[in-house]
Amino acid sequence: MYLSLKYKYLILTLIVFILPYFIMTVIYINNVGEYQKKLLIETRLEVLKKIHYFNSSFENNQASTKVYHEVLNSIWGSYSDFLLLTEQKDIKFSTNSHISEHKEYFRKLEPQKTNYYKIDYLNVERILMYSFDPFNNCYYVVIATSDSIFKELNNKKEDLTAFAIASTLLLTVITFLYSNKISTTLQMLIERITSYRKAVYHIEEKERKSAWINDELDIANQELNKTIAYMVEKEKDYVRENYEAQLNNLQSQINPHFLYNTLDNINHLAMIHEVEEISTLSVGLARLFRYNTGNSENETSIEKELEIIEEYINIMKIRVSYLVFEIQIEDNDLLQNAILKFILQPIVENIFKHGYSHKASISISIDIYRKINDVVIDIYSNNEYKDIDKITMLNEKINDENHEGSIGLKNVNRRLKIKYGEAYGVTVLVNEQRYFVSRILLPYKK
């Protein structure tokens, strides 16, 4: 099951923070509203107490009733009534004789400072407010409509509730936008990791293992672990190939002095018998073997590689009646650029193997130039290449480790990638003159 991180984060924030905030705000508003109502009632009933203290007695006469009606109208508005009850809840005074008959309204009166409750009088909901005066042992009671009493407080409560709702929605939107940004960033990271693995390691994607509830973090973790696993496995392959290469190199160096002495003897015999071709061949071979086995370093300069190619060309001139060899270099500084040993020779050898076919003449060119932070070496002959459709297939074979063909180019390509990275290596193409070109890409460094 997949649930995006933005929704997980939003749900978690709603449960842990936003909803508790909203509930606590509503509770606070209600508590404050209740406190303000009691404070309002207590304050206004105190006015009636003061009036009572200034009157020696409460008689149900017209003047007394008029005074209290005026006070009630100014404090609670119209349709409000005032009653004075004894401690036993007997009515001593009332501005409304009719309401005095409903003694059931006064059963909930308790000897406490201030309180209120709702009653139904003449099919209208009203609020009965009272305050007990322990000094005179009597209840001060006011009955009024809820609109006239708490209208202002109810409006404030509605405003605060609206503010709580608006702030809750704002927090929800901000949380969603922030979590969406995190989710989008992680998704971009996942895509980059996946595309890198596909581009570098050519890995076919398999179905992901689903966790209880997957999100971008889980997927990013899976993708990163996969990439690390591929990198570790690839590094093991590189180390193993390096060991094999070193072993092969050691095996090829078994008693090299015997080989050098033999070639030297051949050279002397050729000079004695005045056979120049054999002398050239033996000297060239000796130099090639010394270059390959005489130094433990596997990296050299382009200049030294070209010197060995010239030795190889001199050897091949014995076989080819007419051989032209050209080197074009954009900048002489490139001659000192680092390159692996024996990178150019297998490619030049391929020209004789596949492009020469015992022709009377052949021309081989090497172009060296810089391209931003890379060095490009193009090697080609003057033979027109007709199977252009096969270029893509040949490049696939060069990069396919399991394919048995193109061993020379594949070996060069593999060594370059191991040494300098996957961005470098060998590719083949057809240039504007329709010549088959083997292109080597190296990092620019000295």
Side-chain angles (χ1 to χ4, degrees):
M1 179 180 176
Y2 175 79
L3 182 63
S4 179
L5 184 66
K6 58 186 175 184
Y7 298 117
K8 277 188 178 180
Y9 188 78
L10 180 62
I11 293 170
L12 181 63
T13 308
L14 281 171
I15 294 173
V16 174
F17 178 69
I18 297 178
L19 287 180
Y21 159 78
F22 179 74
I23 293 170
M24 293 298 292
T25 304
V26 171
I27 292 173
Y28 173 76
I29 291 171
N30 288 332
N31 289 340
V32 170
E34 191 67 23
Y35 171 76
Q36 288 180 335
K37 286 179 180 179
K38 288 186 177 181
L39 183 63
L40 177 68
I41 293 168
E42 183 178 7
T43 304
R44 293 183 177 182
L45 284 175
E46 283 295 320
V47 176
L48 294 176
K49 286 183 184 181
K50 294 289 190 299
I51 296 173
H52 170 237
Y53 291 154
F54 283 109
N55 288 279
S56 58
S57 64
F58 279 83
E59 297 180 359
N60 193 6
N61 53 55
Q62 186 176 0
S64 201
T65 303
K66 185 175 181 180
V67 169
Y68 281 104
H69 269 305
E70 290 296 329
V71 173
L72 291 172
N73 287 336
S74 63
I75 298 176
W76 280 286
S78 57
Y79 306 107
S80 56
D81 298 297
F82 172 72
L83 299 92
L84 184 66
L85 279 66
T86 64
E87 187 177 4
Q88 291 74 30
K89 302 176 185 177
D90 296 325
I91 299 174
K92 292 176 64 177
F93 174 81
S94 174
T95 59
N96 187 338
S97 59
H98 180 265
I99 202 170
S100 303
E101 298 175 0
H102 295 273
K103 293 185 177 182
E104 69 273 10
Y105 294 156
F106 313 115
R107 291 174 185 170
K108 295 182 180 180
L109 294 179
E110 296 178 357
Q112 59 187 27
K113 189 175 182 181
T114 303
N115 204 353
Y116 72 97
Y117 53 85
K118 295 179 182 179
I119 63 171
D120 185 16
Y121 177 60
L122 299 178
N123 296 323
V124 177
E125 184 184 88
R126 300 185 184 234
I127 303 296
L128 187 149
M129 299 158 282
Y130 68 91
S131 179
F132 182 74
D133 185 2
F135 180 74
N136 291 316
N137 293 324
C138 63
Y139 289 96
Y140 296 90
V141 179
V142 174
I143 299 175
T145 59
S146 58
D147 289 341
S148 62
I149 302 171
F150 301 133
K151 183 177 181 180
E152 185 177 351
L153 292 177
N154 287 335
N155 288 338
K156 288 182 178 179
K157 181 180 178 181
E158 289 175 0
D159 292 341
L160 289 173
T161 304
F163 173 78
I165 294 172
S167 61
T168 301
L169 291 175
L170 181 61
L171 284 172
T172 304
V173 171
I174 292 173
T175 302
F176 178 78
L177 292 176
Y178 182 73
S179 58
N180 184 62
K181 180 177 176 60
I182 296 174
S183 176
T184 304
T185 304
L186 285 171
Q187 192 62 43
M188 290 174 61
L189 178 63
I190 292 169
E191 290 175 1
R192 288 183 180 180
I193 293 173
T194 306
S195 60
Y196 169 80
R197 189 173 64 250
K198 287 180 178 179
V200 174
Y201 299 110
H202 309 289
I203 301 298
E204 292 294 331
E205 290 301 315
K206 296 180 180 179
E207 187 178 353
R208 293 191 180 103
K209 293 182 179 179
S210 59
W212 177 53
I213 299 181
N214 265 341
D215 57 28
E216 288 84 352
L217 281 175
D218 296 317
I219 295 174
N221 181 56
Q222 292 177 21
E223 295 296 325
L224 196 56
N225 286 337
K226 282 182 184 178
T227 304
I228 291 172
Y230 293 141
M231 292 174 70
V232 170
E233 190 63 31
K234 217 66 177 177
E235 185 65 24
K236 288 180 180 177
D237 292 341
Y238 291 164
V239 172
R240 184 170 56 251
E241 290 176 2
N242 189 37
Y243 285 155
E244 291 176 356
Q246 290 180 10
L247 180 60
N248 292 334
N249 188 40
L250 288 172
Q251 289 176 344
S252 66
Q253 292 182 27
I254 295 175
N255 203 5
H257 292 290
F258 171 76
L259 178 61
Y260 300 151
N261 291 333
T262 302
L263 290 171
D264 193 44
N265 290 333
I266 293 173
N267 178 44
H268 281 293
L269 287 173
M271 291 176 67
I272 292 171
H273 295 282
E274 298 181 352
V275 184
E276 186 178 348
E277 290 84 358
I278 296 176
S279 175
T280 302
L281 181 61
S282 60
V283 171
L285 284 175
R287 288 177 180 173
L288 286 175
F289 285 124
R290 280 196 180 89
Y291 176 73
N292 188 33
T293 62
N295 191 342
S296 60
E297 295 292 332
N298 62 354
E299 201 173 35
T300 185
S301 65
I302 292 177
E303 183 177 23
K304 291 183 179 179
E305 269 289 287
L306 292 175
E307 290 175 0
I308 292 303
I309 289 299
E310 288 178 349
E311 290 291 346
Y312 179 74
I313 292 294
N314 288 333
I315 293 173
M316 296 306 296
K317 282 181 178 179
I318 297 173
R319 173 185 168 188
V320 181
S321 58
Y322 182 76
L323 174 58
V324 177
F325 177 61
E326 295 180 341
I327 299 175
Q328 296 182 3
I329 186 163
E330 182 183 66
D331 188 347
N332 288 331
D333 288 343
L334 296 178
L335 291 173
Q336 304 307 316
N337 199 85
I339 188 173
L340 286 174
K341 282 185 176 181
F342 263 76
I343 289 297
L344 304 182
Q345 190 274 335
I347 298 177
V348 174
E349 183 180 350
N350 254 9
I351 294 176
F352 289 102
K353 183 177 179 181
H354 300 290
Y356 173 58
S357 301
H358 302 286
K359 292 182 179 179
S361 64
I362 187 170
S363 175
I364 298 175
S365 299
I366 298 180
D367 297 343
I368 305 172
Y369 55 94
R370 183 175 172 183
K371 190 175 182 180
I372 309 177
N373 293 323
D374 298 326
V375 175
V376 181
I377 302 176
D378 287 343
I379 304 172
Y380 56 93
S381 68
N382 60 346
N383 292 326
E384 183 178 347
Y385 186 75
K386 297 180 180 179
D387 298 330
I388 299 177
D389 297 336
K390 293 183 179 180
I391 292 295
T392 302
M393 182 183 65
L394 286 173
N395 280 310
E396 290 176 355
K397 289 180 179 179
I398 292 170
N399 287 282
D400 187 359
E401 298 178 8
N402 298 319
H403 194 272
E404 295 181 356
S406 304
I407 295 175
L409 291 177
K410 185 184 297 183
N411 179 53
V412 171
N413 182 59
R414 191 70 187 144
R415 288 174 61 201
L416 288 170
K417 288 185 180 297
I418 291 174
K419 178 65 178 178
Y420 302 120
E422 292 291 332
Y424 301 98
V426 179
T427 55
V428 296
L429 54 100
V430 176
N431 65 9
E432 296 177 355
Q433 290 79 26
R434 300 180 67 86
Y435 295 160
F436 183 87
V437 179
S438 298
R439 175 167 291 173
I440 298 173
L441 189 65
L442 302 169
Y444 176 71
K445 64 175 186 175
K446 294 183 180 179

